[in-house]
Amino acid sequence: MKVLAINGSPRAGGNTEILLKKVLETLEDAGWETEYRRIGGKPVHGCRACMQCVKQKNKKCMIEGDFVNECLQAMESADAILLGSPTYFADVTAEMKALIDRAGFVALANDGMLSGKIGSAVVAFRRAGGTHVFDSINHMFQISSMIVPGSLYWNLGVALDRGDALKDEEGMENMVHLGQTIAWLGKAMANAAKETPFPLAMVELR
Ligand SMILES: Cc1cc2nc3c(=O)[nH]c(=O)nc-3n(C[C@H](O)[C@H](O)[C@H](O)COP(=O)(O)O)c2cc1C
């Protein structure tokens, strides 16, 4: 099985990356294939509401060449998707918001291409607003008919400077637990799918 992590932070080697990679490491130990990408820091545009994805249904955003379509392709091939973001004014970064809006809308326009996949939000924050970031990401998973596993104390790491996440022992333990939960759920879902196909939710976008 494959897990894809996409990081909305512009900071390479930063806290969100540390948290995401802990989840990936745990899943790798459980035999999963892992992929890590960073969209933070890339010149990503927001959704232009052109509705071409709804008209063309070609699994692509019409804004080409800014990494969102690459992420979308990788998302389609993954069984589990981790979207990670630092907290910026109590919300996701602008790059992560662009990915959520554009990839999320293309997926809905293409017969729910993310439905039945596992989705988990991972968030770094210094002091406040982390649960709101967690909510913002989970809204995309839940409107997409994805399966969201629970974990301990949500999936948040308390951190300010690059590397601080490593000092948040409880946060790091949560990432290991999240990885273990995803590994268990992935196996259970694969077994269930042998008997019953996932009920696809076709959405008519208005
Ligand atoms: C523009 C900006 C806004 C921020 N806003 C918040 C905030 O609202 N709440 C908070 O707890 N931390 C806030 N922070 C701190 C970051 O969330 C924190 O440093 C985080 O660990 C960065 O993760 P990264 O290393 O993955 O980029 C902000 C940082 C920046 C640069």
Short mmCIF file of all heavy atoms in Angstrom, two decimals, residues 7-19 85-91 93 123-130 133 157-165, ligand 1:
data_model
loop_
_atom_site.label_atom_id
_atom_site.label_comp_id
_atom_site.label_asym_id
_atom_site.label_seq_id
_atom_site.Cartn_x
_atom_site.Cartn_y
_atom_site.Cartn_z
N ASN A 7 3.41 18.52 2.10
CA ASN A 7 3.68 19.52 3.13
C ASN A 7 3.40 20.93 2.61
O ASN A 7 3.96 21.35 1.60
CB ASN A 7 5.16 19.39 3.54
CG ASN A 7 5.52 20.29 4.71
OD1 ASN A 7 4.69 21.04 5.22
ND2 ASN A 7 6.77 20.21 5.13
N GLY A 8 2.57 21.67 3.31
CA GLY A 8 2.24 23.05 2.93
C GLY A 8 3.21 24.08 3.46
O GLY A 8 3.05 25.28 3.21
N SER A 9 4.22 23.65 4.19
CA SER A 9 5.18 24.62 4.75
C SER A 9 6.24 24.98 3.72
O SER A 9 6.75 24.11 3.02
CB SER A 9 5.89 24.02 5.97
OG SER A 9 6.97 24.86 6.34
N PRO A 10 6.63 26.27 3.67
CA PRO A 10 7.71 26.65 2.78
C PRO A 10 9.08 26.29 3.35
O PRO A 10 10.09 26.41 2.67
CB PRO A 10 7.56 28.18 2.69
CG PRO A 10 6.94 28.57 4.00
CD PRO A 10 6.03 27.43 4.38
N ARG A 11 9.10 25.82 4.61
CA ARG A 11 10.37 25.62 5.31
C ARG A 11 10.86 24.18 5.17
O ARG A 11 10.29 23.28 5.80
CB ARG A 11 10.14 25.98 6.78
CG ARG A 11 11.39 26.24 7.54
CD ARG A 11 11.23 27.24 8.65
NE ARG A 11 10.36 26.83 9.74
CZ ARG A 11 10.40 27.35 10.95
NH1 ARG A 11 11.28 28.31 11.21
NH2 ARG A 11 9.57 26.97 11.88
N ALA A 12 11.90 23.98 4.37
CA ALA A 12 12.48 22.64 4.24
C ALA A 12 13.10 22.25 5.57
O ALA A 12 13.72 23.07 6.24
CB ALA A 12 13.54 22.62 3.16
N GLY A 13 12.89 21.01 5.98
CA GLY A 13 13.43 20.54 7.26
C GLY A 13 12.72 21.13 8.45
O GLY A 13 13.21 21.06 9.59
N GLY A 14 11.56 21.71 8.23
CA GLY A 14 10.81 22.35 9.32
C GLY A 14 9.98 21.37 10.13
O GLY A 14 10.10 20.13 9.98
N ASN A 15 9.15 21.93 10.98
CA ASN A 15 8.41 21.10 11.95
C ASN A 15 7.34 20.22 11.30
O ASN A 15 7.17 19.06 11.69
CB ASN A 15 7.80 22.01 13.00
CG ASN A 15 8.89 22.73 13.77
OD1 ASN A 15 9.86 22.11 14.20
ND2 ASN A 15 8.77 24.05 13.92
N THR A 16 6.63 20.77 10.32
CA THR A 16 5.61 19.97 9.64
C THR A 16 6.27 18.78 8.95
O THR A 16 5.75 17.67 8.97
CB THR A 16 4.83 20.84 8.63
OG1 THR A 16 4.48 22.08 9.26
CG2 THR A 16 3.57 20.14 8.15
N GLU A 17 7.43 19.05 8.35
CA GLU A 17 8.16 17.96 7.67
C GLU A 17 8.57 16.88 8.68
O GLU A 17 8.42 15.69 8.42
CB GLU A 17 9.41 18.54 6.98
CG GLU A 17 10.21 17.48 6.26
CD GLU A 17 11.34 18.06 5.43
OE1 GLU A 17 11.21 19.18 4.89
OE2 GLU A 17 12.37 17.38 5.31
N ILE A 18 9.04 17.31 9.84
CA ILE A 18 9.47 16.34 10.87
C ILE A 18 8.28 15.47 11.30
O ILE A 18 8.38 14.25 11.41
CB ILE A 18 10.06 17.09 12.09
CG1 ILE A 18 11.40 17.70 11.70
CG2 ILE A 18 10.19 16.18 13.31
CD1 ILE A 18 11.95 18.71 12.72
N LEU A 19 7.13 16.13 11.50
CA LEU A 19 5.94 15.39 11.95
C LEU A 19 5.47 14.41 10.87
O LEU A 19 5.20 13.24 11.13
CB LEU A 19 4.81 16.37 12.30
CG LEU A 19 5.09 17.32 13.48
CD1 LEU A 19 4.08 18.47 13.50
CD2 LEU A 19 5.08 16.58 14.81
N SER A 85 0.37 20.98 7.40
CA SER A 85 0.55 22.42 7.28
C SER A 85 0.99 23.01 8.61
O SER A 85 0.51 22.59 9.66
CB SER A 85 -0.76 23.10 6.84
OG SER A 85 -0.57 24.50 6.70
N PRO A 86 1.86 24.03 8.56
CA PRO A 86 2.05 24.82 9.77
C PRO A 86 0.81 25.71 9.95
O PRO A 86 0.01 25.86 9.01
CB PRO A 86 3.29 25.67 9.45
CG PRO A 86 3.40 25.71 7.97
CD PRO A 86 2.67 24.50 7.43
N THR A 87 0.67 26.27 11.10
CA THR A 87 -0.44 27.18 11.39
C THR A 87 -0.02 28.59 11.04
O THR A 87 0.96 29.10 11.57
CB THR A 87 -0.79 27.08 12.89
OG1 THR A 87 -1.11 25.73 13.17
CG2 THR A 87 -1.94 28.00 13.26
N TYR A 88 -0.72 29.22 10.11
CA TYR A 88 -0.48 30.61 9.74
C TYR A 88 -1.77 31.39 10.05
O TYR A 88 -2.79 31.17 9.39
CB TYR A 88 -0.15 30.73 8.25
CG TYR A 88 1.30 30.43 7.88
CD1 TYR A 88 2.19 29.85 8.78
CD2 TYR A 88 1.78 30.74 6.61
CE1 TYR A 88 3.52 29.58 8.43
CE2 TYR A 88 3.10 30.48 6.25
CZ TYR A 88 3.96 29.90 7.16
OH TYR A 88 5.26 29.64 6.80
N PHE A 89 -1.70 32.26 11.01
CA PHE A 89 -2.88 33.02 11.44
C PHE A 89 -4.09 32.09 11.61
O PHE A 89 -5.16 32.30 11.05
CB PHE A 89 -3.18 34.19 10.50
CG PHE A 89 -2.19 35.32 10.66
CD1 PHE A 89 -1.01 35.31 9.96
CD2 PHE A 89 -2.43 36.35 11.56
CE1 PHE A 89 -0.06 36.31 10.14
CE2 PHE A 89 -1.48 37.36 11.74
CZ PHE A 89 -0.29 37.33 11.02
N ALA A 90 -3.83 31.01 12.35
CA ALA A 90 -4.86 30.03 12.71
C ALA A 90 -5.46 29.30 11.52
O ALA A 90 -6.56 28.77 11.60
CB ALA A 90 -5.97 30.68 13.55
N ASP A 91 -4.72 29.26 10.39
CA ASP A 91 -5.23 28.48 9.26
C ASP A 91 -4.09 27.83 8.49
O ASP A 91 -2.93 27.99 8.86
CB ASP A 91 -6.10 29.37 8.35
CG ASP A 91 -7.32 28.60 7.83
OD1 ASP A 91 -7.16 27.41 7.48
OD2 ASP A 91 -8.41 29.18 7.77
N THR A 93 -1.47 27.20 5.28
CA THR A 93 -0.72 28.15 4.45
C THR A 93 -1.47 28.37 3.13
O THR A 93 -2.31 27.55 2.73
CB THR A 93 0.69 27.62 4.13
OG1 THR A 93 0.56 26.37 3.42
CG2 THR A 93 1.52 27.41 5.38
N VAL A 123 -0.43 18.85 11.71
CA VAL A 123 -0.31 20.30 11.88
C VAL A 123 0.79 20.67 12.88
O VAL A 123 0.91 20.06 13.94
CB VAL A 123 -1.66 20.87 12.40
CG1 VAL A 123 -1.58 22.37 12.62
CG2 VAL A 123 -2.80 20.53 11.43
N ALA A 124 1.58 21.69 12.51
CA ALA A 124 2.54 22.27 13.46
C ALA A 124 2.03 23.64 13.89
O ALA A 124 1.54 24.40 13.05
CB ALA A 124 3.91 22.41 12.80
N PHE A 125 2.13 23.95 15.15
CA PHE A 125 1.72 25.28 15.63
C PHE A 125 2.54 25.66 16.84
O PHE A 125 3.09 24.81 17.54
CB PHE A 125 0.22 25.32 15.93
CG PHE A 125 -0.20 24.59 17.20
CD1 PHE A 125 -0.81 25.28 18.24
CD2 PHE A 125 0.03 23.24 17.34
CE1 PHE A 125 -1.19 24.62 19.40
CE2 PHE A 125 -0.37 22.56 18.51
CZ PHE A 125 -0.97 23.25 19.53
N ARG A 126 2.64 26.98 17.06
CA ARG A 126 3.44 27.45 18.19
C ARG A 126 2.60 27.53 19.46
O ARG A 126 2.99 27.09 20.50
CB ARG A 126 4.01 28.83 17.90
CG ARG A 126 4.87 29.40 19.02
CD ARG A 126 5.25 30.83 18.77
NE ARG A 126 4.18 31.76 19.07
CZ ARG A 126 3.93 32.27 20.28
NH1 ARG A 126 4.65 31.91 21.31
NH2 ARG A 126 2.95 33.13 20.46
N ARG A 127 1.39 28.12 19.33
CA ARG A 127 0.62 28.40 20.54
C ARG A 127 -0.88 28.19 20.39
O ARG A 127 -1.52 27.64 21.26
CB ARG A 127 0.88 29.86 20.96
CG ARG A 127 0.29 30.22 22.28
CD ARG A 127 0.74 31.62 22.68
NE ARG A 127 0.24 31.93 24.01
CZ ARG A 127 0.86 31.59 25.13
NH1 ARG A 127 1.98 30.91 25.07
NH2 ARG A 127 0.35 31.91 26.30
N ALA A 128 -1.47 28.66 19.27
CA ALA A 128 -2.92 28.57 19.14
C ALA A 128 -3.32 28.50 17.67
O ALA A 128 -2.58 28.92 16.79
CB ALA A 128 -3.58 29.80 19.77
N GLY A 129 -4.51 27.95 17.43
CA GLY A 129 -5.05 27.92 16.06
C GLY A 129 -4.81 26.60 15.35
O GLY A 129 -5.33 26.38 14.25
N GLY A 130 -4.06 25.70 15.98
CA GLY A 130 -3.74 24.42 15.31
C GLY A 130 -4.96 23.57 15.02
O GLY A 130 -5.04 22.92 13.97
N VAL A 133 -6.62 24.63 11.82
CA VAL A 133 -5.91 24.13 10.64
C VAL A 133 -6.31 22.67 10.39
O VAL A 133 -6.59 22.26 9.26
CB VAL A 133 -4.38 24.24 10.84
CG1 VAL A 133 -3.62 23.75 9.62
CG2 VAL A 133 -3.99 25.67 11.17
N GLY A 157 1.62 19.03 16.45
CA GLY A 157 2.92 19.12 17.09
C GLY A 157 3.15 20.56 17.53
O GLY A 157 2.97 21.48 16.72
N VAL A 158 3.57 20.75 18.78
CA VAL A 158 3.82 22.10 19.29
C VAL A 158 5.27 22.48 18.99
O VAL A 158 6.19 21.80 19.43
CB VAL A 158 3.57 22.17 20.82
CG1 VAL A 158 3.78 23.59 21.32
CG2 VAL A 158 2.16 21.69 21.15
N ALA A 159 5.44 23.55 18.19
CA ALA A 159 6.80 23.88 17.76
C ALA A 159 6.85 25.28 17.17
O ALA A 159 5.91 25.70 16.50
CB ALA A 159 7.23 22.88 16.68
N LEU A 160 7.96 25.98 17.38
CA LEU A 160 8.14 27.29 16.75
C LEU A 160 9.30 27.23 15.75
O LEU A 160 9.10 27.25 14.55
CB LEU A 160 8.39 28.36 17.82
CG LEU A 160 8.74 29.76 17.28
CD1 LEU A 160 7.60 30.32 16.44
CD2 LEU A 160 9.07 30.71 18.43
N ASP A 161 10.53 27.14 16.28
CA ASP A 161 11.69 27.16 15.39
C ASP A 161 11.90 25.80 14.72
O ASP A 161 11.46 24.78 15.25
CB ASP A 161 12.95 27.54 16.19
CG ASP A 161 12.86 28.98 16.69
OD1 ASP A 161 12.28 29.81 15.95
OD2 ASP A 161 13.31 29.24 17.81
N ARG A 162 12.58 25.85 13.59
CA ARG A 162 12.87 24.62 12.85
C ARG A 162 13.48 23.56 13.79
O ARG A 162 14.47 23.86 14.47
CB ARG A 162 13.88 24.96 11.75
CG ARG A 162 13.87 24.02 10.59
CD ARG A 162 15.04 24.31 9.66
NE ARG A 162 14.57 24.86 8.41
CZ ARG A 162 14.85 26.06 7.96
NH1 ARG A 162 15.59 26.87 8.66
NH2 ARG A 162 14.38 26.48 6.80
N GLY A 163 12.84 22.40 13.87
CA GLY A 163 13.39 21.32 14.70
C GLY A 163 12.71 21.19 16.05
O GLY A 163 12.86 20.17 16.73
N ASP A 164 11.96 22.22 16.46
CA ASP A 164 11.31 22.18 17.79
C ASP A 164 10.34 21.00 17.93
O ASP A 164 10.10 20.53 19.04
CB ASP A 164 10.51 23.47 18.04
CG ASP A 164 11.38 24.62 18.50
OD1 ASP A 164 12.58 24.37 18.76
OD2 ASP A 164 10.87 25.75 18.61
N ALA A 165 9.78 20.55 16.81
CA ALA A 165 8.80 19.46 16.88
C ALA A 165 9.39 18.22 17.55
O ALA A 165 8.68 17.47 18.23
CB ALA A 165 8.30 19.11 15.47
C1 LIG B 1 3.07 33.91 8.83
C2 LIG B 1 3.10 33.05 10.07
C3 LIG B 1 1.94 32.97 10.83
C4 LIG B 1 1.90 32.15 11.97
N1 LIG B 1 0.72 32.07 12.69
C5 LIG B 1 0.66 31.25 13.78
C6 LIG B 1 -0.57 31.10 14.49
O1 LIG B 1 -1.60 31.67 14.16
N2 LIG B 1 -0.56 30.27 15.56
C7 LIG B 1 0.55 29.58 15.96
O2 LIG B 1 0.48 28.84 16.95
N3 LIG B 1 1.72 29.68 15.28
C8 LIG B 1 1.80 30.49 14.19
N4 LIG B 1 2.98 30.57 13.46
C9 LIG B 1 4.11 29.71 13.86
C10 LIG B 1 4.23 28.42 13.01
O3 LIG B 1 3.01 27.77 12.89
C11 LIG B 1 5.27 27.48 13.67
O4 LIG B 1 6.52 28.13 13.72
C12 LIG B 1 5.40 26.16 12.97
O5 LIG B 1 6.16 25.29 13.78
C13 LIG B 1 6.10 26.29 11.61
O6 LIG B 1 6.14 25.02 10.98
P1 LIG B 1 7.19 24.70 9.79
O7 LIG B 1 8.57 24.65 10.43
O8 LIG B 1 6.77 23.39 9.25
O9 LIG B 1 7.06 25.80 8.79
C14 LIG B 1 3.05 31.40 12.35
C15 LIG B 1 4.21 31.50 11.57
C16 LIG B 1 4.25 32.31 10.46
C17 LIG B 1 5.52 32.39 9.61
#
